[in-house]
Amino acid sequence: FLFFCFFGLLLHCRPFHYSRFTATHKMDFAMDEAADATDNVRVPEPVAVAAVDLDAYVQHYDGLQLIQRLSFISEVCEPLEFEALVLLQKEVNKSFDYRRYPSLLKRIETVCAREGRDAPECLSDPELISKQKQRVKHEQERLEHALQQHRANGVKESVRLAFNELGDFFMSSNDFTEARQQYHQSRAACTSAQHLVCMYRKFVDVSLALDDWPGIQSNIARARGVQDAVIDAPTESFFTLANAVASIGMGAFNDAAHILVHLEATPDMDRLLSYRDIALIGGLCALASYDRQALTTEVLGNATFSHFLEAAPEIKIIIKAFQQSQYTVLLSTLRQLEPELRLDRFLAVHVTDLLHSIKRKAIVQYWTPYQSADLQKMAEAFHMPMEELESHLISLLTDGEIQARIDKEGEAMHSMQVDKREQTIQQVLDTVSQLEAETSVMLFRCEMIEHNFKVKAT
């Protein structure tokens, strides 16, 4: 009787303890995942110099992209903060994003007080926020009323366009979740392949605004996979630029370089990236990824990419300095460009990795012809502190990109002596193993043919 009571107690208690254990560990695991995600978020470094002329800068972008770029510059570059905020206020005033106004005006007021500047005109209108709110409300009511009328009429094309207009309104209002929902609802009114391509383009716009890099690439793939769809030149150009931006955002420098150096300049090219952006990002990503021959043929000798290089002559200087082993010119030009690169909202968090890759590649090229090298002379050639050079060399040695040893006392680096006899024997053994495997496959095939054994393709 006691045995059955104890057994029954176990049966009743085990599910409770198991569920509590599972729920607790699931919650802990979810918290760990959230903590890891927070730790993996990379914060752009602040920029201490005014690296761009904002009045000329704003001419290359428009709409939401310009708003997001100005907002990013105002956050990372204190010398340009006031100018960026004033330009940002003018652009926000053209949009329907009234929710941004209170914090934006507060920031402008704070910067004016900190720097002793006169308050701009936007701070002198106390009813500015209420006017914007009223304007947004009237526009939303107008679009929703138009959508209801088109639905009542039952004309699918009008319904689709109404959903798109409402989605564009929410994009301008900085409500990207609602914008995506409106674009998605337009799918039921799509009557052709071109309508589906248009819908996926809208999804790409939302993903760009949210920095959803995988979402950009997946929606582009879906658009290009629509059956019987003919994608026009402006849309294809937009997809190509968006794909390059996604590659940059994920730190895939090789993919970004391959896309940008083969990009054709067209009059109706989307303003997602300027000509200078394409030249800077494409050229530097190519320098970090391509070999010397590819840099000559794919970048400097590329007639298509030369149109973009005219907007950024520094890239030609950098690549030629790399090919001619003029490392001081190479690194000094990179240092001049670094503040401007850190103001690009797509590239900013990857600038350190990109420049690090270029420096490593230059060091490997410097070392390749030598059996030994003086570290002091190498530091002078790269115009680099000895501690930074040693850090790069240790990383290269650890990764196996350089086969050498560092003589810390003698401040030199010596190539590791390779036993050529052992290396030759190993090559012979590898060749023999490969021949044995190939011969075995050939004999097996001969036996199959001899016994008239055939396997049909499925």
Side-chain angles (χ1 to χ4, degrees):
F1 175 77
L2 291 175
F3 171 78
F4 283 108
C5 288
F6 181 73
F7 186 72
L9 183 63
L10 284 177
L11 288 176
H12 282 83
C13 291
R14 283 187 63 189
F16 170 76
H17 287 297
Y18 175 75
S19 61
R20 183 176 62 184
F21 174 83
T22 306
T24 303
H25 280 70
K26 281 183 178 178
M27 183 173 65
D28 292 343
F29 181 72
M31 292 175 64
D32 291 340
E33 279 190 329
D36 293 341
T38 304
D39 293 339
N40 291 333
V41 174
R42 305 179 69 175
V43 179
E45 296 184 12
V47 180
V49 296
V52 295
D53 179 7
L54 282 183
D55 290 330
Y57 182 85
V58 297
Q59 304 300 320
H60 300 294
Y61 313 97
D62 55 17
L64 181 60
Q65 285 301 320
L66 178 56
I67 289 175
Q68 291 188 323
R69 284 179 176 274
L70 288 173
S71 177
F72 179 80
I73 292 173
S74 70
E75 292 171 358
V76 300
C77 185
E78 186 174 335
L80 291 174
E81 184 179 4
F82 176 77
E83 188 177 354
L85 287 174
V86 172
L87 291 172
L88 177 60
Q89 184 272 330
K90 294 179 180 178
E91 292 301 320
V92 171
N93 192 41
K94 301 175 186 177
S95 70
F96 297 105
D97 186 11
Y98 73 90
R99 297 180 185 86
R100 191 194 294 260
Y101 255 97
S103 60
L104 179 58
L105 297 180
K106 182 65 176 177
R107 285 187 63 191
I108 294 176
E109 186 179 357
T110 303
V111 174
C112 289
R114 185 184 68 208
E115 299 181 1
R117 295 176 178 268
D118 294 333
E121 294 181 3
C122 60
L123 296 181
S124 60
D125 187 358
E127 298 182 358
L128 181 61
I129 297 176
S130 60
K131 290 178 181 178
Q132 288 295 324
K133 186 175 181 180
Q134 197 68 20
R135 183 173 70 92
V136 172
K137 181 181 178 181
H138 288 160
E139 181 65 13
Q140 183 174 352
E141 291 176 350
R142 184 188 70 81
L143 292 173
E144 289 176 347
H145 179 69
L147 175 60
Q148 292 176 358
Q149 284 187 330
H150 293 314
R151 276 181 158 177
N153 294 334
V155 181
K156 284 192 172 183
E157 177 62 10
S158 299
V159 173
R160 185 183 71 87
L161 294 176
F163 273 123
N164 284 341
E165 289 180 359
L166 200 53
D168 294 341
F169 165 80
F170 284 114
M171 285 289 290
S172 182
S173 302
N174 204 35
D175 190 349
F176 305 127
T177 303
E178 187 63 30
R180 189 198 298 269
Q181 185 176 351
Q182 298 298 327
Y183 294 143
H184 183 72
Q185 289 184 15
S186 72
R187 186 185 189 107
C190 292
T191 57
S192 68
Q194 301 305 118
H195 293 169
L196 291 176
V197 172
C198 178
M199 181 191 68
Y200 285 123
R201 171 170 179 156
K202 298 292 186 181
F203 287 161
V204 173
D205 285 330
V206 177
S207 297
L208 280 168
L210 295 172
D211 293 346
D212 179 14
W213 315 127
I216 293 171
Q217 294 183 330
S218 64
N219 283 304
I220 291 174
R222 289 170 186 156
R224 289 173 172 166
V226 174
Q227 189 174 4
D228 299 329
V230 179
I231 302 178
D232 55 26
T235 303
E236 183 59 40
S237 172
F238 170 75
F239 283 159
T240 303
L241 286 176
N243 202 6
V245 167
S247 299
I248 297 165
M250 294 187 291
F253 301 140
N254 190 24
D255 295 341
H258 181 74
I259 295 171
L260 293 177
V261 299
H262 295 98
L263 183 67
E264 294 187 6
T266 58
D268 52 0
M269 180 176 291
D270 192 87
R271 303 183 76 182
L272 182 59
L273 295 175
S274 68
Y275 274 36
R276 182 170 177 83
D277 294 335
I278 295 171
L280 287 176
I281 299 173
L284 293 179
C285 288
L287 181 57
S289 309
Y290 291 178
D291 56 26
R292 292 167 64 102
Q293 182 64 30
L295 285 173
T296 301
T297 57
E298 299 291 330
V299 182
L300 296 181
N302 187 341
T304 302
F305 195 61
S306 63
H307 296 290
F308 301 108
L309 287 178
E310 293 175 359
E314 300 93 336
I315 294 299
K316 284 187 177 181
I317 297 173
I318 289 173
I319 294 178
K320 288 181 179 179
F322 174 80
Q323 293 182 324
Q324 297 170 6
S325 300
Q326 298 175 352
Y327 302 111
T328 304
V329 176
L330 167 67
L331 296 183
S332 63
T333 310
L334 283 176
R335 277 191 287 269
Q336 293 173 7
L337 285 177
E338 184 176 353
E340 181 179 353
L341 298 175
R342 293 194 181 278
L343 292 181
D344 187 288
R345 81 177 196 88
F346 298 124
L347 184 64
V349 295
H350 301 289
V351 170
T352 301
D353 293 340
L354 179 60
L355 299 183
H356 185 70
S357 299
I358 294 173
K359 290 177 184 178
R360 284 165 59 98
K361 189 174 181 180
I363 292 172
V364 171
Q365 177 178 276
Y366 178 96
W367 165 253
T368 299
Y370 299 110
Q371 291 293 324
S372 62
D374 188 317
L375 295 184
Q376 192 65 40
K377 291 182 178 179
M378 187 183 294
E380 293 175 1
F382 285 95
H383 199 63
M384 186 182 298
M386 181 65 72
E387 294 78 9
E388 183 181 353
L389 177 63
E390 289 179 352
S391 174
H392 285 299
L393 290 174
I394 291 172
S395 176
L396 289 167
L397 293 174
T398 304
D399 295 341
E401 296 188 38
I402 290 180
Q403 303 295 328
R405 286 193 292 260
I406 296 177
D407 180 4
K408 181 67 174 177
E409 184 176 351
E411 293 188 344
M413 187 168 67
H414 305 285
S415 176
M416 296 178 63
Q417 298 296 326
V418 179
D419 190 338
K420 294 186 178 180
R421 180 174 178 274
E422 182 180 352
Q423 188 178 25
T424 304
I425 292 174
Q426 186 60 45
Q427 290 177 352
V428 171
L429 292 175
D430 294 339
T431 304
V432 169
S433 300
Q434 184 179 356
L435 287 173
E436 285 180 351
E438 292 176 356
T439 304
S440 176
V441 172
M442 292 172 64
L443 290 174
F444 181 67
R445 179 173 176 79
C446 290
E447 289 182 3
M448 292 176 65
I449 294 174
E450 182 180 356
H451 290 83
N452 197 26
F453 184 81
K454 298 180 181 179
V455 178
K456 295 182 179 180
T458 56

